Amino acid sequence: MVDRVLVTLDGTVRNPDAPLLFADDIGVLRGDGVFETVLVRDGTVCALEFHLARLRRSAQALDLPEPELGRWRNAVEQAAQEWGAEREGMMRLVLTRGREPATDNPRSAVTSGELSDTVPVPTSYVLVSGVSERVAKARAEGISVVTLARGISIDLAQAAPWQLLGAKTLSYATNMAALRFAARMGAQDVIFTSTENRVLEGPRSTVVIARDKQLITPPAKNGVLPGVTQRALFAEAERAGYDCKYEPLFTADLLTCDSIWMLSSVTLAARVNSLDGLRMSAPDNAEEIVELVDRGIERAGAIGDW
Ligand SMILES: *Cc1c(COP(=O)(O)O)cnc(C)c1O
């Protein structure tokens, strides 16, 4: 059984232990690129069309060339097939600006081998690896979370589009640093807050709170990434009679709600079992919410059916 699968956008299955990137790839030099992380379950790629749509929007936000979605679909299918259906996989779609244009530099050949004089050829590949133990534990037991200041206003997304707040970019060093900071405080994850004490998101997940039969998440215009998993939950929960809303949340709302959920494509639903050291016990509908996320993601496979 393979432990990783690597497929480039030309549909070539590559040896994941062989070098792929050039030293002057702008994705490496500047973190200038975008990505998606997708769950592979039972051999199928969950909610693929929604991830491709966001990859396209992220690329637009960075003025990257329009991703050729047909080629991405083929590479993704190829990678999923190679991975197989026996176990879950974490699939990453990576798209960087490509090699730095130098005067006498042959342009990137990773993806297409095409040469161009002025515009770099984007680096594009699909990488599948196993789902970490952390994920199984987060799903089963929930996670401990600390709130950390993100140092930005909820108005920033609109005032400063170059901050790329709605794009899933490769510039995640800050997000990873926040997770390490949390780990030093004994916590497993982070909820970022704005300068106005509004709830933003996790470094790699969307925050949703549950209150009775209500589910609430901060709106994208507050500077959070629109989450595929959150959207899948909302679509499914509405069918089940939940009232699902996009509303600004204060940190105080985190303390008065029934449960807090960190949603993301690979972990799916992780319930916050402790917030800033305060224990949060599971509400009666915890299992129902987990099932709604599972079913929502399954339905999202039926392309564009929302
Ligand atoms: C990926 C990510 C999410 C979660 O999105 P999904 O589409 O559910 O995986 C939320 N916030 C940030 C910052 C992310 O990078």
Side-chain angles (χ1 to χ4, degrees), residues 109 135 306:
V135 167
W306 289 355

Side-chain angles (χ1 to χ4, degrees), residues 105-109 112-117 119 121:
N105 198 354
R107 305 294 176 249
S108 170
S112 65
E114 287 165 36
L115 295 178
S116 149
D117 286 339
V119 186
V121 176

Side-chain angles (χ1 to χ4, degrees), residues 69-143:
L69 295 190
R71 299 180 78 199
W72 278 101
R73 263 180 220 109
N74 290 341
V76 161
E77 287 311 324
Q78 180 98 42
Q81 212 161 35
E82 291 288 319
W83 182 254
E86 298 82 53
R87 65 226 189 282
E88 288 189 341
M90 172 174 72
M91 176 182 280
R92 291 192 180 97
L93 281 53
V94 179
L95 169 62
T96 85
R97 200 172 297 281
R99 299 186 68 185
E100 188 166 63
T103 38
D104 53 359
N105 198 354
R107 305 294 176 249
S108 170
V110 172
T111 50
S112 65
E114 287 165 36
L115 295 178
S116 149
D117 286 339
T118 49
V119 186
V121 176
T123 301
S124 321
Y125 59 88
V126 177
L127 177 67
V128 192
S129 49
V131 171
S132 72
E133 269 169 45
R134 173 182 67 80
V135 167
K137 200 161 174 289
R139 285 178 186 164
E141 299 169 17
I143 48 175

Side-chain angles (χ1 to χ4, degrees), residues 3-202:
D3 69 337
R4 275 163 309 148
V5 171
L6 173 62
V7 179
T8 39
L9 214 62
D10 57 3
T12 310
V13 180
R14 309 229 172 196
N15 174 3
D17 290 316
L20 179 75
L21 297 178
F22 287 94
D24 59 1
D25 194 293
I26 306 165
V28 174
L29 297 178
R30 302 192 192 278
D32 193 351
V34 299
F35 76 106
E36 283 295 318
T37 305
V38 190
L39 179 65
V40 182
R41 184 178 254 187
D42 303 326
T44 60
V45 183
C46 297
L48 175 62
E49 287 308 311
F50 297 93
H51 286 285
L52 289 176
R54 189 170 61 193
L55 185 75
R56 190 164 165 262
R57 282 198 308 274
S58 296
Q60 279 168 352
L62 271 70
D63 296 318
L64 286 165
E66 180 84 20
E68 295 174 56
L69 295 190
R71 299 180 78 199
W72 278 101
R73 263 180 220 109
N74 290 341
V76 161
E77 287 311 324
Q78 180 98 42
Q81 212 161 35
E82 291 288 319
W83 182 254
E86 298 82 53
R87 65 226 189 282
E88 288 189 341
M90 172 174 72
M91 176 182 280
R92 291 192 180 97
L93 281 53
V94 179
L95 169 62
T96 85
R97 200 172 297 281
R99 299 186 68 185
E100 188 166 63
T103 38
D104 53 359
N105 198 354
R107 305 294 176 249
S108 170
V110 172
T111 50
S112 65
E114 287 165 36
L115 295 178
S116 149
D117 286 339
T118 49
V119 186
V121 176
T123 301
S124 321
Y125 59 88
V126 177
L127 177 67
V128 192
S129 49
V131 171
S132 72
E133 269 169 45
R134 173 182 67 80
V135 167
K137 200 161 174 289
R139 285 178 186 164
E141 299 169 17
I143 48 175
S144 58
V145 169
V146 287
T147 51
L148 293 180
R150 183 83 166 82
I152 63 171
S153 159
I154 48 167
D155 296 330
L156 192 69
Q158 272 152 7
W162 56 89
Q163 291 287 344
L164 302 173
L165 291 179
K168 206 168 172 82
T169 78
L170 290 171
S171 307
Y172 265 31
T174 301
N175 299 31
M176 296 299 106
L179 289 171
R180 289 193 300 273
F181 191 92
R184 286 199 289 276
M185 296 167 74
Q188 295 157 310
D189 214 328
V190 171
I191 293 179
F192 283 128
T193 57
S194 78
T195 47
E196 303 90 351
N197 252 330
R198 297 298 221 290
V199 175
L200 294 171
E201 63 189 342

